C-alpha cells in the first residue's frame, strides 16, 4: 500500500512543478522539490530501526532520547530541553478522537476480484467490468456501540468497512453484519446511540436507558431479536457476513438502472459465541477479534467474503411487500435472489496500525460512476455524517492521508486547510479559463431517476403490524437451541433494568412477536403479562 502511495506522490510532484520529459534545466539553476522530503521518509519506511540514527522530529541528530537539559545534575529542567519537550508535547496529543461508533476494530489489506459478469450486467462502474479484474481493498472490521477499550466479544452489531481503490476513485462499502438496523428515521440515531452509551451521571452502562429507547420504538424489534440471539456475539471478525442494509442504485451506460443492495458472505462460514463463551473470551483475550484476524493472515489462512448483488426494478419496488427504503426490513433471498459478483480476500496485515487502521475513514458517498444513492432516508443522512465525522476526527484533509488516498489523480478546487500536503501545486483554485480543467463527459442522463410526488413534509414513521413480520419469521427459523439462547440472553440483560414500566413495555413487544417468547421472558424478569 505504501509503495503505491509513494508513486502517487511522485506523480503529483511532477504535476505541481510542471515537469515534463522534455524539460531541461541549467545545472546552476537547482529546483526545489517539495516532495523530496516525504519521498526520503518513504525510502526508509520498511528499514529496520538498527539501520537508522535517532533524530528529533526536524531531522536533527540527537545522541540519547532519555536526555534532558537541566541546571546541574540536581537542578531544574530547562526550557531549552527540546528532546524532552518535543516528546511530552507529542505524547499528550498522539491520540485522535475515537470514533463515536465503531471505536474498536481490526484492519487488513487485500483485493476484490470479479468472479462473474453480474456486476457488469447491472452497473457500468469499471470495478465490475471484467471477470478476473482485481481492485485494491483495505478492510476495517469493528464493534459498534462500545468504547475503544471494550472487548471484541461483547454483544453488539459489527461493522465491515471495505475501501476499494478503483480506477474511477474510491468506492467505500460500509456494511453491518446484520441486514437490518434499529431504526429507519435518521434523526433517531443520536438518541439510540446515546441510550446505549454510558449514563451521563454514573458513567456506567444503564440498562433502563438501553431498554427505554427500544421499548418506545417498536420498529427495532427485529434487530433486537437478532442481536440477542447468538448472532449478537460473533466469534471474532472472520466468521460474520456483511450487508449494505441501505438501498442504492446500479446504473448502466444507457442510463437504465435497478435498485441495489450488496452483501458480503463469509467464506469461513458463520460462527458465533454463546453468552458464556463470549464472557470467557472477553476475559481471556479482550482483543480476540483483532488477534484472530491478524494471526490468520500471518499464517496464510486468508479470510474472504463472496460479494452478492440483490436487484429489483422500480416497478418491482413499487409492488414489494415492504418499503425498500426501510432499514428495519431486509430483502429475503427467497424474494430477491442473491447474485454473485466477486470476492474480497484479505492477505496483508498492516505495518502500522494507527496509520493504516485508526486513520482510515469511510464514506458511503464515495461512489464511482454507475453507483448512485437512492431516496433511502438513513443513507441520505449517512452521506453527511460519515464524511463529517472524519473531518472532525482526523482533519479536513483526511483524504490526502496515504490510507485514504485514491490511486487516480485528484484534480479539483478543494484546497488549503490543516495538513494539506498535496495542495495540487500551481493548478488554479477556481474554474479558470486561463488553465482550464478538463471536464469528463456526463456518463448517463439521470434526470428521470427520481420522480418526486408530493411536497416537502416533516415526517416521522409510525409502527404498524408489518414491523413485526420479519421478527416473527426470524423467530420461526431459529432452532430450538437458538430460541432458548435468545430467551436466556434477553432475560439476563433486560432483567438488569430496574424500571418495571420499561420492562413491561418491552415484554409486551416480545409477546406480540410470539406468545411463548413473551411469556418466557416475562417469567424470567418477574413481569406479569396482562
Amino acid at each position: 500500500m505504501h509503495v503505491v502511495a509513494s508513486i502517487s506522490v511522485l506523480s503529483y510532484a511532477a504535476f505541481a512543478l510542471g515537469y515534463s520529459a522534455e524539460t531541461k534545466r541549467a545545472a546552476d539553476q537547482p529546483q526545489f522539490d517539495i516532495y523530496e522530503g516525504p519521498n526520503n521518509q518513504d525510502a526508509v519506511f520498511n528499514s529496520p530501526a538498527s539501520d537508522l540514527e535517532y533524530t528529533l522530529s526536524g531531522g536533527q541528530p540527537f545522541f540519547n532520547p532519555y536526555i534532558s537539559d537541566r541546571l546541574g545534575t540536581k537542578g531544574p529542567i530547562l526550557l531549552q530541553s527540546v528532546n524532552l519537550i518535543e516528546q511530552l508535547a507529542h505524547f499528550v496529543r498522539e491520540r485522535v478522537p475515537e470514533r463515536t461508533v465503531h471505536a474498536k476494530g481490526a484492519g487488513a489489506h487485500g483485493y476484490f476480484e470479479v468472479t462473474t459478469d453480474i456486476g457488469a450486467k447491472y452497473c457500468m462502474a469499471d470495478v465490475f467490468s471484467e471477470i478476473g479484474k482485481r481492485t485494491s481493498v483495505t478492510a476495517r472490521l469493528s464493534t459498534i456501540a462500545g468504547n475503544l477499550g471494550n472487548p471484541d466479544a461483547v454483544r453488539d452489531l459489527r461493522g465491515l468497512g471495505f475501501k476499494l481503490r478503483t480506477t474511477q476513485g474510491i468506492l467505500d462499502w460500509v456494511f453491518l453484519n446484520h441486514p437490518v438496523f434499529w431504526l429507519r428515521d435518521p434523526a433517531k440515531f443520536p438518541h439510540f446511540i446515546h441510550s446505549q452509551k454510558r449514563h451521563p451521571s454514573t458513567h456506567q452502562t444503564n440498562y433502563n436507558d438501553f431498554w427505554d429507547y427500544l421499548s418506545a420504538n417498536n420498529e427495532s424489534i427485529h434487530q433486537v431479536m437478532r442481536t440477542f440471539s447468538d448472532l449478537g456475539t460473533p466469534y471474532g471478525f472472520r466468521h460474520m457476513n456483511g450487508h449494505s442494509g441501505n438501498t442504492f442504485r446500479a446504473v448502466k451506460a444507457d442510463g437504465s438502472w435497478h435498485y441495489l443492495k450488496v452483501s458480503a458472505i463469509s467464506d469461513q462460514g458463520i460462527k458465533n459465541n454463546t453468552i458464556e463463551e463470549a464472557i470467557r473470551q472477553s476475559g481471556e483475550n479482550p482483543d480476540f477479534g483483532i488477534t484472530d484476524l491478524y494471526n490468520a493472515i500471518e499464517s496464510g489462512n486468508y479470510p474472504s467474503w463472496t460479494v452478492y448483488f440483490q436487484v429489483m426494478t422500480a416497478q418491482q419496488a413499487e409492488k414489494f411487500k415492504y418499503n425498500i427504503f426501510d432499514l428495519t426490513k431486509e430483502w429475503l433471498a427467497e424474494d430477491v435472489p442473491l447474485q454473485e459478483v466477486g470476492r474480497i480476500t484479505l492477505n496483508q496485515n498492516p505495518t502500522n496500525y494507527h496509520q493504516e487502521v485508526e486513520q482510515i475513514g469511510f464514506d458511503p458517498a464515495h461512489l464511482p460512476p454507475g453507483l448512485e444513492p437512492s431516496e433511502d432516508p438513513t443513507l441520505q443522512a449517512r452521506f453527511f455524517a460519515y464524511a463529517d465525522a472524519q473531518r472532525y476526527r482526523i482533519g479536513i484533509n483526511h483524504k490526502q492521508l496515504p490510507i485514504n488516498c485514491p490511486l487516480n489523480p485528484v484534480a479539483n478546487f478543494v484546497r488549503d486547510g490543516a495538513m494539506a500536503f498535496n495542495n495540487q501545486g500551481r493548478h488554479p483554485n477556481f474554474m479558470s479559463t486561463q488553465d482550464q480543467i478538463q471536464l469528463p463527459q456526463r456518463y448517463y442522463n439521470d434526470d428521470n431517476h427520481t420522480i418526486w410526488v408530493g411536497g416537502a413534509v416533516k415526517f416521522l414513521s409510525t409502527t404498524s403490524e408489518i414491523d413485526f413480520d420479519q421478527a416473527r419469521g426470524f423467530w420461526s427459523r431459529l432452532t430450538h437451541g437458538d430460541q432458548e439462547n435468545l430467551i436466556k440472553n434477553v432475560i439476563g440483560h433486560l432483567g438488569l433494568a430496574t424500571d418495571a414500566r420499561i420492562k413491561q413495555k418491552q415484554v409486551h413487544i416480545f409477546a406480540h412477536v410470539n406468545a411463548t417468547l413473551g411469556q418466557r421472558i416475562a417469567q424470567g424478569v418477574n413481569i406479569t403479562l396482562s
Side-chain angles (χ1 to χ4, degrees), residues 239-507:
H239 297 275
M240 60 184 188
N241 298 335
H243 306 275
S244 67
N246 291 122
T247 302
F248 293 82
R249 286 195 182 92
V251 188
K252 298 170 68 173
D254 62 4
S256 60
W257 56 273
H258 289 74
Y259 287 117
L260 171 72
K261 284 183 185 278
V262 187
S263 293
I265 305 302
S266 173
D267 295 324
Q268 294 71 240
I270 298 297
K271 186 177 181 181
N272 300 312
N273 287 321
T274 63
I275 184 60
E276 293 82 8
E277 291 167 338
I279 292 172
R280 184 174 67 252
Q281 196 175 86
S282 296
E284 292 175 349
N285 183 1
D287 301 322
F288 176 84
I290 298 174
T291 304
D292 178 67
L293 179 67
Y294 188 94
N295 288 346
I297 294 174
E298 282 297 289
S299 67
N301 182 21
Y302 302 140
S304 63
W305 287 260
T306 301
V307 176
Y308 294 89
F309 279 3
Q310 287 178 288
V311 299
M312 67 170 76
T313 65
Q315 293 73 28
Q316 290 171 324
E318 290 175 8
K319 300 174 183 177
F320 197 58
K321 54 185 173 182
Y322 308 117
N323 178 352
I324 68 160
F325 305 134
D326 182 350
L327 190 52
T328 68
K329 306 293 184 295
E330 64 177 310
W331 298 0
L332 297 173
E334 54 262 37
D335 297 324
V336 188
L338 293 162
Q339 302 183 63
E340 181 178 332
V341 175
R343 181 169 293 106
I344 292 172
T345 302
L346 302 181
N347 62 358
Q348 179 184 339
N349 279 317
T351 300
N352 185 284
Y353 181 90
H354 182 84
Q355 185 176 20
E356 299 167 55
V357 182
E358 189 63 24
Q359 288 194 138
I360 197 170
F362 294 96
D363 182 356
H366 285 161
L367 299 171
L371 292 170
E372 298 279 354
S374 73
E375 299 79 28
D376 184 329
T378 55
L379 177 62
Q380 297 281 332
R382 291 175 88 190
F383 266 39
F384 165 75
Y386 273 65
D388 201 51
Q390 305 312 326
R391 295 184 190 105
Y392 159 71
R393 199 175 67 86
I394 46 179
I396 186 66
N397 286 307
H398 64 275
K399 294 178 186 178
Q400 295 182 24
L401 292 169
I403 193 62
N404 298 318
C405 183
L407 302 187
N408 55 310
V410 171
N412 55 34
F413 311 111
V414 178
R415 306 292 173 85
D416 304 344
M419 307 299 286
F421 57 87
N422 169 33
N423 212 33
Q424 302 191 43
R426 66 177 63 177
H427 303 161
N429 61 355
F430 71 103
M431 190 64 175
S432 170
T433 59
Q434 302 164 77
D435 181 11
Q436 190 163 355
I437 196 169
Q438 297 182 44
L439 299 178
Q441 185 177 357
R442 190 172 183 175
Y443 290 97
Y444 39 75
N445 186 347
D446 58 359
D447 287 348
N448 295 316
H449 275 203
T450 301
I451 300 175
W452 298 100
V453 289
V457 296
K458 291 179 171 61
F459 177 77
L460 173 65
S461 68
T462 56
T463 55
S464 65
E465 195 61 28
I466 201 168
D467 289 312
F468 293 87
D469 185 42
Q470 291 193 345
R472 290 172 181 141
F474 176 73
W475 173 256
S476 67
R477 290 191 296 271
L478 291 176
T479 66
H480 175 73
D482 287 335
Q483 289 181 346
E484 290 297 310
N485 284 352
L486 190 155
I487 291 170
K488 178 177 66 175
N489 294 336
V490 171
I491 291 172
H493 198 282
L494 181 59
L496 295 174
T498 58
D499 191 320
R501 177 187 59 87
I502 291 173
K503 291 197 286 187
Q504 184 88 34
K505 287 170 60 181
Q506 187 63 51
V507 166

Side-chain angles (χ1 to χ4, degrees), residues 81-245:
S81 185
V82 177
N83 173 62
L84 171 66
I85 290 173
E86 179 177 273
Q87 290 190 68
L88 291 179
H90 189 278
F91 176 73
V92 298
R93 294 168 173 83
E94 67 185 22
R95 293 290 176 263
V96 298
E98 72 171 41
R99 293 166 169 88
T100 304
V101 290
H102 300 276
K104 178 80 178 291
H109 309 295
Y111 58 90
F112 168 73
E113 182 174 5
V114 178
T115 56
T116 75
D117 62 357
I118 291 297
K121 176 180 178 182
Y122 292 106
C123 178
M124 65 163 288
D126 184 64
V127 65
F128 309 119
S129 60
E130 56 182 299
I131 294 174
K133 186 181 183 69
R134 288 189 174 185
T135 298
S136 166
V137 171
T138 297
R140 185 175 185 272
L141 314 172
S142 60
T143 58
I144 294 183
N147 304 116
L148 189 59
N150 275 27
D152 294 345
V154 295
R155 184 173 304 282
D156 194 5
L157 272 69
R158 303 294 192 274
L160 300 89
F162 299 106
K163 183 176 291 292
L164 284 70
R165 300 172 183 86
T166 84
T167 58
Q168 298 171 305
I170 298 293
L171 167 59
D172 280 341
W173 276 337
V174 189
F175 296 167
L176 296 176
N177 68 322
H178 296 261
V180 294
F181 197 56
W182 310 88
L183 53 86
R184 57 188 170 226
D185 300 288
K188 289 184 177 182
F189 185 73
H191 300 266
F192 164 68
I193 292 297
H194 288 165
S195 75
Q196 316 298 294
K197 292 284 190 180
R198 297 177 182 272
H199 191 273
S201 174
T202 66
H203 198 58
Q204 300 176 42
T205 298
N206 188 288
Y207 295 91
N208 288 334
D209 287 357
F210 184 97
W211 290 102
D212 186 11
Y213 175 88
L214 299 176
S215 64
N217 295 274
N218 296 6
E219 71 272 23
S220 66
I221 186 58
H222 186 192
Q223 184 59 76
V224 170
M225 292 177 62
R226 295 184 67 94
T227 303
F228 279 89
S229 74
D230 290 345
L231 289 168
T233 48
Y235 181 88
F237 294 130
R238 295 183 297 128
H239 297 275
M240 60 184 188
N241 298 335
H243 306 275
S244 67

